[in-house]
Amino acid sequence: MKKKVKVYVSLKQGVLDPQGKTIESSLHSLGFKEAANVRVGKVIEFEIAESADLENQIHDMCKKLLANPVMEDYRFEVEEVVRP
Amino acid sequence: MKKKVKVYVSLKQGVLDPQGKTIESSLHSLGFKEAANVRVGKVIEFEIAESADLENQIHDMCKKLLANPVMEDYRFEVEEVVRP
């Protein structure tokens, strides 16, 4: 059985977000003056075979590769794979 | 009243995802051989004042800046701002 995993990686509170700052100033110059506190994160999606220790495997993937433990937080969701 | 907006930007189906491919091969070399179809997207969060045409504004922001209409799809969620 295949599972779909979505890992959400975001910068920790207090970590400067230059990309967010750039987007914020671009939004302002486009006239969207109200937009504030722009922060940018990643969503990493993948499929993987279901297994008893799947959650541990995903934590392992995040700690080893997908998220930088010093600057980033992560959370994830595991869903059924829906074939179109 | 402030609202928190989360914009999810992902590559359209069929668009090659070199970043996803790189992560996939790294996961495999770390021993996570089962991971497949790795795709990477963005989450852009920001705060904005509530307004009657907020949804139109967000669509406008996405079309003008946050998402590349040729290669990317977007969806968004609007939430209450929760002050810690």
Side-chain angles (χ1 to χ4, degrees), chain B residues 47-65:
Chain B
E47 291 177 10
I48 195 162
E50 190 168 17
S51 64
D53 70 337
L54 179 56
E55 299 230 344
N56 290 333
Q57 265 191 66
I58 298 168
H59 278 295
D60 227 16
M61 290 177 184
C62 291
K63 285 170 188 153
K64 286 181 178 167
L65 181 72

Side-chain angles (χ1 to χ4, degrees), chain A residues 2 45-48, chain B residues 24 28 33-39:
Chain A
K2 282 258 178 188
E45 296 184 22
F46 56 90
E47 291 177 10
I48 194 162
Chain B
E24 188 164 316
H28 290 177
K33 304 264 188 243
E34 296 281 336
N37 298 328
V38 180
R39 307 276 290 178

Side-chain angles (χ1 to χ4, degrees), chain B residues 1-5 46-48 50 78-81:
Chain B
M1 217 16 213
K2 282 257 177 188
K3 292 282 185 180
K4 174 135 200 167
V5 177
F46 57 91
E47 291 177 10
I48 195 162
E50 190 168 17
V78 181
E79 302 165 359
E80 298 300 324
V81 171

